[in-house]
Amino acid sequence: GLKGDINDRLSYDVSWYWNRNEQLDTERNGVNRDRLRQMLQGTAPAQFLGANSWNPFANFFDSGVNSQNQATLDWLKLEPRTFRDFTTEVFNAQLKFKPFDAPAGTVETIVGVENRNERFKRTPDLAKQQAAGSGWNAISAFSQDFSIRSIFAEAVVPLLKDVPFARNLALGLAARREEFSHLPDEPTILRAYLRNQVNRDLTLRLAYSEGYTAPTPGALDPSSAQAFPNVYMPWLNATDQTAQGVLLVGNANLKPTESKSINFGAVWSPRAVKGLSVQLDFYSIEQTNIIVQDPQ
């Protein structure tokens, strides 16, 4: 990144960020169903039949019982692998300037742009895609690239200074607009706040803000994945794991989760009692389009 001052009223901040996270999941010591079936049906290679066949009742800790043949265990073993690749690239440029001086102080503003690219790729091997191992759930290959382009601006305007009941009163305004390559909406969020230092002991603040959270690639993935969570069954008043499991399916039409919040706070730090600070906050948050993945 680069940052610096052009003059007393104008400065800049430009940065580029790149991150890659590679993840390899190996599910250990599964059983290859096809080979187990061959063994039970007597069609497996000769070295894995008869005395060398797999004994599901053998326990390594039982005395007088032959332990499993290691070559047979290795032949039966299946260890599905899934490779995941996450890449993030962000370019951000900000211009900070002080356009003019007001009676109560200097007005400060920031304008900027940001471009964010997200790439995700999931590559399970064939055994994982086909759920060829006993006990392992199937998962499909999936990849998605998307980008987010943003413009934003913020200003802090001093309103009053050193007057009764307002030693330092300031207004803050901010706006941000984003365009998603994988979503039809182009949300714009706003933020406004008032901060009033009533006197040396008491500060009040009032804020209104909007927010949103875009769905992740996994939430948008239309392919299904099998899982075996516990599900509550009201007719039995019991929670249990379903025999066939559940299918977790993404929704390509998801929209961002949106929120609106109001916050009022007060901070009292009496000079007469050194180190004492009392803070009171009231807030109200309303969310819509909350994205969940509930097996219930």
Side-chain angles (χ1 to χ4, degrees), residues 69 111 118 123 150 228 292:
N69 179 277
V111 295
E118 297 272 358
T123 310
S150 310
F228 290 84
V292 296

Side-chain angles (χ1 to χ4, degrees), residues 116-150:
R116 182 184 187 93
N117 296 313
E118 297 272 358
R119 290 181 287 275
F120 171 71
K121 187 176 183 180
R122 181 182 67 215
T123 310
D125 62 13
L126 188 60
K128 183 62 177 174
Q129 293 186 45
Q130 297 178 347
S134 178
W136 302 140
N137 303 327
I139 191 172
S140 60
F142 175 73
S143 65
Q144 184 178 58
D145 296 353
F146 66 91
S147 61
I148 307 172
R149 297 178 180 177
S150 310

Side-chain angles (χ1 to χ4, degrees), residues 143-221:
S143 65
Q144 184 178 58
D145 296 353
F146 66 91
S147 61
I148 307 172
R149 297 178 180 177
S150 310
I151 58 174
F152 54 91
E154 184 172 358
V156 179
V157 182
L159 300 179
L160 296 172
K161 186 174 183 180
D162 296 330
V163 300
F165 307 106
R167 188 183 183 193
N168 194 335
L169 174 64
L171 170 67
L173 298 170
R176 186 181 185 98
R177 181 177 180 84
E178 296 200 330
E179 175 186 346
F180 297 85
S181 63
H182 63 300
L183 296 174
D185 297 342
E186 297 181 8
T188 299
I189 61 171
L190 304 174
R191 181 172 182 261
Y193 65 90
L194 279 172
R195 184 182 183 276
N196 183 21
Q197 186 179 357
V198 180
N199 51 47
R200 292 184 178 181
D201 298 339
L202 179 63
T203 300
L204 304 176
R205 61 178 181 270
L206 175 65
Y208 166 81
S209 61
E210 300 172 343
Y212 61 91
T213 303
T216 63
L220 296 168
D221 183 2

Side-chain angles (χ1 to χ4, degrees), residues 13 22 28 31 36 41 44 47 66-67 96 105 118 133 171 195-196 213 247 262 278 281:
D13 190 336
E22 297 180 347
R28 300 292 186 188
V31 176
L36 177 60
Q41 294 174 349
Q47 65 267 34
N66 292 330
S67 61
K96 307 175 184 179
E118 297 272 358
L171 170 67
R195 184 182 183 276
N196 183 21
T213 303
L247 293 179
I262 297 176
V278 180
D281 279 291

Side-chain angles (χ1 to χ4, degrees), residues 84-106:
R84 293 177 174 87
D85 186 346
F86 307 84
T87 305
T88 302
E89 181 183 5
V90 182
F91 172 79
N92 184 288
Q94 299 181 18
L95 193 63
K96 307 175 184 179
F97 58 99
K98 303 173 182 178
F100 59 89
D101 295 328
T106 302

Side-chain angles (χ1 to χ4, degrees), residues 5 8 11-12 38 60 69 89 112 127-128 159 173 203 212 271 276:
D5 298 327
D8 292 341
S11 63
Y12 62 90
Q38 293 176 36
F60 178 80
N69 179 277
E89 181 183 5
K128 183 62 177 174
L159 300 179
L173 298 170
T203 300
Y212 61 91
R271 288 174 294 166
L276 174 63

